[in-house]
Amino acid sequence: MTEGETGSERVPWHSLELTDTLDRLETTEEGIGTEEAKQRLERHGRNEIEVEEGVSPLRILLEQYTSALIWILIVAAAVMAAVGHTLDAAVIAAIVIFITLFGFAQDYRAERSIAALKEMSTKEATAYRDGERTIVDARNLVPGDVVRIQSGDAVPADGRIIAEANLSVDEAALTGESVTVSKEPGVVDEDTAVAERTNYVYKDTVVKRGTARVVVTETGDETEIGRIATALGEARERDTPFQTEMDRLGKLIAAGVIAVVSIIAITELVIGDTEPLTVFLTAVGVAVSAVPEGLPAVVTLSLALGARRMAEKNALVRRLPIVESLGSVDVICTDKTGTLTEEEMTVRRVYANDRSYTVTGSGYDLDGEILYDDEPIEEGELDDLFRCGVLCNDTERGRKEDGEETFLGDPTEIGLYVAGQKAGFGPLELKDSYPRVDEVDFTSDRKRMTTLHRTPDDGYVAYMKGAPETVVERCSRLQADGEVREMSEEDREQILERNEEYAEDALRVLAFAYLPDVPESIDEEDEDDMVFLGLQGMIDPPRPEVPGAIEACLAAGIKVVMITGDNAVTAKAIGRQIGLRADNVVTGSELDSMSDEELYDVVEDVDIFARNAPEHKTRILQTLQDRGHTVAMTGDGVNDAPAVKNADVGVAMGVRGTDVTEQASDIVLLDDNFATIREAVHGGRRIFDNVRKFVNYLLSGNGGEVTMIFTGSMAGLGLVITPVQILWINVVTDGIPALTMGVDPAADDIMEREPRPKEEGVITKRIAVSVVGIAAFMTVCLLPLFSLNYTGELLPGYDLLGRTIGYTPSYEPGRELAQTVVFTGFVAMEIVRIQAIRFRYGLGFLSNLWLVLAVAVAVTLQLLVLYTPMGQLLFSVEPLGVVHWLQIAAATAAFAVLMAAFVVVQDRYFERY
């Protein structure tokens, strides 16, 4: 088979000899003919990413109605409309519409993530057809085509380099690494990682410098980015545990409604002699009381408010339900560059004058100084070295869109530029004093760069920087303490030993040299007999806040795993500085040699994975998930998108990340900072605590209503509270305080707890017992009030109070009055319920002033219902007298005593949270 067709096996084009590559592709360095290209296009298809037909907007909208809870709300609205309460039906319908439209907007935006890959495709390419350079539609390129790429071009397809001139490619969109990659012809090992294949270019990466002739090896879905698109399309879609639990809760409520209504119907119609209309109204009351109408709105608003708080801390939430999952994250897999580190190369060590110096400061901050033995160096001591670093440098000063001054150029050169300023040079003034008149460019073959400058006395001097071995090889002299002398073999060995020492500390080392008194131009032949100046060792340092953030994560039971494309030495050095275990580092090649079972056994003991490709990320992620972990995964390059989408919480980088990765993610870090992930986890735990609180609060209220209606019906009292009164409680007097519980402050120990187990949902055994207990206590305290105000007896058929103390009511009992007392009693007990639920989180009643205001509003609205003609008409209530308020106060006090004892018992038998 030819042209890359090897069945299911991919051809390792990067490891073949160039002649073998051309032979297998049946092409030459001059390309193929137009007719041959047409035939190959028919066989291979167009050079574009095939995106499957996405889900239609209509289908996305209809899928919002698959939740049982939504259908319960729809049925509730229909029931209310059927009994003539059109206003209440409209309120419920509006809640349903809001929930479904919000979910539609979120899901529709997520569908755009795969389509974004197709939109990245290049439009035109320069190909050699029939021996001539021809502009063709990039979508019509085929394996075997030879194309020309140059500075500024987007690479049109994956290909092997035939020839190049100073080629440098930005592969950040693919690999996430910000440093440009030098490319050259040649052969690399078959197991070389994607980011290290220096003889190969990839579709949709960008040529930053130079030109090249490339033979196309893969097109369309077979390209690296095409394979990523396929993986992204196959990424496992999963509901968050919270979404699953809310759906399960809806089904349980529906089943409970059917069961209770059936019991009431059979009991009253078959056994009893209750009128069918009364049974129907009771059934409606049960249905409406069982449905937590305010819950979806409260959940959505709470998540939205939490997401807004997180956005203020640079974490933008794209999928609201994922906020809940943050609370159970127990592993964070993170990139190194730009997330754990500054992504700003910083000179830390300098070797010159036979001595080693230290450079203080971090990143591109100009504050810092040069030290020897912890003391500042003398003025001018290293001027020649730093002058060389500044002048043999293409860094420029510029401004961002907001007007802030910044550096423009390669990160390594910017680091040298900043070091020069720390040494006292004003680079702009220096470059004016030493204008560049000629240069010999850096190439991957040369491994060095030389520039020629006119000196202030109208002479000329050449400056060189490059790989230490290369620069030292071209030096015959060295400068020490201002004196130039011959370089001995001992000097060479000492320089190279210091280079190795710096490299072992994960420093990237460059050597510097100069040549005085040169002519007005320079070429490679002149790069000889140089004077060695010294070494500068630099590193991308950890962000200062990262060690503390990692320490906090570890204290919270969250394992942090670094997955980087960098080498093991650098990864270990950074890992040690930020607090990770660096004794066991697994590289990409070692990972490839492991079976799934072997990786499963070792993954728990590894904090650092080095020299890893994006496909390794997905494998590590899935192994951690298979071990039961809830994993947050960061990513920035296009090829990180599958891992980010498969993670329990996918985190994209907002500064250097690609659109594709952002759209596949759940959260976008606006500052690319690991410490922001820690803040997001803190925010997620706070939100989850608050969700638990108001779910407990709302469901206990619903439970109390259902229990009251059921018990009252079984006791022969009929409907103890009307459906419209229940709706008012659920949506208004309970709903408003529940909304404000969403902004409750975090508990003091929130980041000292272990992560929530993955299988543990919102409703724990403690909350379930709490709901049942509160419902029972409310019934015990309120049912006697209904009986007293309806029949004149505290208990139906047994006038305990009247017989013992001769009590007779001073008012005319009646059903409407009794319902009004129970209706108001539910509202009064909300204050006790709220504080009983919040107490175990260490929160006092005044810790949330919004909650205090909400309770005040709810009570005020209840009084308006009781004492205004319109309220009395709409809700079928009577104004209450002092005696009734005393009854409600006594019942509420009894409820508070029962709740206090109940909380003590719960603390003894259940976990606190």
Side-chain angles (χ1 to χ4, degrees), residues 407-423:
F407 298 102
L408 305 175
D410 180 85
T412 298
E413 292 198 323
I414 295 174
L416 298 173
Y417 191 90
V418 171
Q421 291 209 206
K422 291 177 182 177

Side-chain angles (χ1 to χ4, degrees), residues 98 209 274 579:
F98 170 76
R209 184 169 59 189
T274 307

Side-chain angles (χ1 to χ4, degrees), residues 11-18 21 159-161 181-202 444:
V11 178
W13 298 109
H14 56 281
S15 65
L16 299 179
E17 293 292 340
L18 181 59
T21 299
R160 177 74 178 272
I161 297 172
V181 182
S182 295
K183 300 288 186 176
E184 61 184 346
V187 176
V188 298
D189 292 338
E190 183 174 340
D191 60 356
T192 302
V194 168
E196 296 175 356
R197 295 174 187 171
T198 54
N199 63 349
Y200 209 76
V201 291
Y202 297 96
S444 53

Side-chain angles (χ1 to χ4, degrees), residues 11 52 96 105 126 250 277 287 293 304 320 331 361 374 384 389 424 558 589 676 829 870 874 897 906 911:
V11 178
E52 292 185 8
V96 171
T126 302
L277 179 60
E293 290 89 352
L320 286 186
V331 177
D374 297 326
D384 289 332
I558 301 170
S589 58
T676 303
M829 289 180 182
M870 181 61 70
L874 288 176
V897 171
Q906 282 189 302
E911 294 287 339

Side-chain angles (χ1 to χ4, degrees), residues 517-781:
D517 304 323
V518 296
E520 297 181 13
S521 63
I522 191 171
D523 56 32
E524 282 195 71
E525 295 178 358
D526 299 314
E527 295 177 313
D528 207 1
D529 195 29
M530 305 288 289
V531 179
F532 180 79
L533 288 171
L535 305 173
Q536 293 191 52
M538 63 191 72
I539 195 171
D540 180 11
R543 292 175 179 264
E545 63 273 20
V546 164
I550 287 182
E551 184 180 1
C553 286
L554 296 176
I558 301 170
K559 173 184 172 73
V560 179
V561 178
M562 179 203 298
I563 305 177
T564 177
D566 220 330
N567 63 68
V569 173
T570 301
K572 276 186 178 181
I574 296 296
R576 289 193 188 98
Q577 292 179 51
I578 62 178
L580 298 182
R581 294 176 300 173
D583 54 330
N584 188 12
V585 176
V586 174
T587 64
S589 58
E590 291 171 339
L591 193 62
D592 287 333
S593 66
M594 289 183 185
S595 65
D596 290 342
E597 292 74 18
E598 289 172 328
L599 179 59
Y600 186 91
D601 291 337
V602 305
V603 72
E604 294 280 8
D605 299 320
V606 179
D607 283 1
I608 301 173
F609 292 87
R611 279 287 186 248
N612 274 260
E615 56 267 26
H616 294 141
K617 272 190 171 184
T618 302
R619 190 177 173 206
I620 294 166
L621 164 72
Q622 292 177 347
T623 303
L624 286 166
Q625 289 175 329
D626 289 343
R627 291 194 67 103
H629 292 291
T630 301
V631 186
M633 173 71 75
T634 71
D636 45 25
V638 171
N639 55 2
D640 289 331
V644 168
K645 190 170 183 181
N646 273 312
D648 297 285
V649 180
V651 183
M653 302 296 111
V655 176
R656 68 182 192 279
T658 59
D659 289 343
V660 175
T661 308
E662 287 186 15
Q663 291 185 41
S665 69
D666 305 304
I667 296 174
V668 179
L669 300 187
L670 301 180
D671 58 359
D672 291 8
N673 192 338
F674 178 84
T676 303
I677 303 177
R678 184 264 178 197
E679 290 298 324
V681 171
H682 179 279
R685 289 188 176 191
R686 174 186 176 185
I687 291 169
F688 186 79
D689 276 359
N690 291 343
V691 167
R692 266 190 172 163
K693 280 181 275 186
F694 63 63
V695 166
N696 191 353
Y697 174 68
L698 290 176
L699 292 186
S700 61
N702 288 109
E705 294 158 1
V706 171
T707 306
M708 275 287 296
I709 293 173
F710 180 77
T711 306
S713 178
M714 294 297 97
L717 294 174
L719 192 62
V720 298
I721 187 169
T722 69
V724 68
Q725 291 169 351
I726 292 170
L727 190 65
W728 173 261
I729 293 171
N730 290 354
V731 176
V732 181
T733 59
D734 271 2
I736 293 175
L739 286 174
T740 58
M741 288 173 77
V743 295
D744 257 357
D748 291 339
D749 65 347
I750 198 164
M751 288 301 286
E752 297 172 9
R753 313 175 200 160
E754 289 293 310
R756 188 178 78 253
K758 192 171 186 176
E759 66 279 1
E760 180 180 299
V762 174
I763 302 174
T764 60
K765 289 183 180 179
R766 174 166 184 154
I767 290 180
V769 170
S770 175
V771 168
V772 172
I774 292 173
F777 295 150
M778 292 176 76
T779 301
V780 167
C781 294

Side-chain angles (χ1 to χ4, degrees), residues 53-65 100-101 103-105 107-109 111-112:
E53 193 67 32
V55 181
S56 69
L58 178 60
R59 181 178 171 185
I60 294 174
L61 181 62
L62 292 177
E63 285 178 349
Q64 307 306 312
Y65 291 91
T100 53
L101 288 181
F104 169 80
D107 292 347
Y108 180 75
R109 186 167 57 177
E111 277 296 315
R112 295 293 303 163

Side-chain angles (χ1 to χ4, degrees), residues 100-400:
T100 53
L101 288 181
F102 187 88
F104 169 80
Q106 295 295 310
D107 292 347
Y108 180 75
R109 186 167 57 177
E111 277 296 315
R112 295 293 303 163
S113 62
I114 299 176
L117 284 165
K118 189 172 183 179
E119 294 167 3
M120 288 179 63
S121 296
T122 51
K123 304 302 181 185
E124 292 183 338
T126 302
Y128 292 87
R129 296 274 176 88
D130 300 314
E132 296 181 353
R133 281 170 55 176
T134 308
I135 303 298
V136 300
D137 187 329
R139 294 173 297 178
N140 294 334
L141 289 176
V142 294
D145 257 324
V146 173
V147 298
R148 183 180 188 274
I149 55 176
Q150 62 185 14
S151 179
D153 287 349
V155 178
D158 286 8
R160 177 74 178 272
I161 297 172
I162 297 173
E164 58 83 30
N166 198 24
L167 182 66
S168 181
V169 181
D170 179 0
E171 295 182 343
L174 187 65
T175 66
E177 294 298 324
S178 59
V179 179
T180 56
V181 182
S182 295
K183 300 288 186 176
E184 61 184 346
V187 176
V188 298
D189 292 338
E190 183 174 340
D191 60 356
T192 302
V194 168
E196 296 175 356
R197 295 174 187 171
T198 54
N199 63 349
Y200 209 76
V201 291
Y202 297 96
K203 179 177 171 63
D204 292 328
T205 57
V206 179
V207 179
K208 299 298 287 186
R209 184 169 59 189
T211 61
R213 181 178 289 212
V214 175
V215 59
V216 174
T217 57
E218 306 285 2
T219 59
D221 287 342
E222 296 302 314
T223 62
E224 197 67 28
I225 200 170
R227 295 174 65 204
I228 292 164
T230 301
L232 190 57
E234 295 172 352
R236 294 180 289 183
E237 293 287 351
R238 65 181 78 207
D239 283 341
T240 67
F242 184 64
Q243 290 172 310
T244 302
E245 186 164 11
M246 287 297 99
D247 192 53
R248 182 169 61 88
L249 177 62
K251 292 175 182 177
L252 286 174
I253 290 173
V257 167
I258 294 172
V260 173
V261 168
S262 298
I263 292 172
I264 292 175
I266 293 172
T267 303
E268 298 295 339
L269 292 177
V270 178
I271 300 175
D273 55 359
T274 307
E275 291 291 326
L277 179 60
T278 302
V279 175
F280 174 75
L281 290 176
T282 302
V284 170
V286 170
V288 173
S289 64
V291 176
E293 290 89 352
L295 182 58
V298 172
V299 168
T300 300
L301 184 59
S302 178
L303 294 178
L305 289 173
R308 181 177 177 181
R309 289 194 301 268
M310 290 167 65
E312 293 172 354
K313 295 187 176 181
N314 292 315
L316 181 64
V317 177
R318 296 188 64 256
R319 292 179 58 218
L320 286 186
I322 209 68
V323 172
E324 170 268 338
S325 294
L326 279 168
S328 59
V329 165
D330 59 355
V331 177
I332 299 174
C333 294
T334 175
D335 294 322
K336 176 184 71 69
T337 304
T339 307
L340 298 174
T341 64
E342 299 272 14
E343 198 179 12
E344 297 178 349
M345 296 300 289
T346 304
V347 175
R348 285 284 176 83
R349 306 280 291 280
V350 170
Y351 175 73
N353 302 328
D354 300 323
R355 294 188 288 274
S356 189
Y357 300 81
T358 301
V359 183
T360 65
S362 182
Y364 297 161
D365 189 339
L366 301 180
D367 291 334
E369 54 186 348
I370 320 299
L371 305 177
Y372 176 67
D373 281 346
D374 297 326
E375 295 293 332
I377 64 173
E378 296 181 8
E379 186 175 351
E381 187 172 339
L382 298 176
D383 279 4
D384 289 332
L385 172 62
F386 286 112
R387 182 184 296 113
C388 179
V390 170
L391 293 176
C392 190
N393 194 317
D394 291 326
T395 299
E396 296 179 359
R397 301 298 289 265
R399 293 191 180 277
K400 300 179 182 179

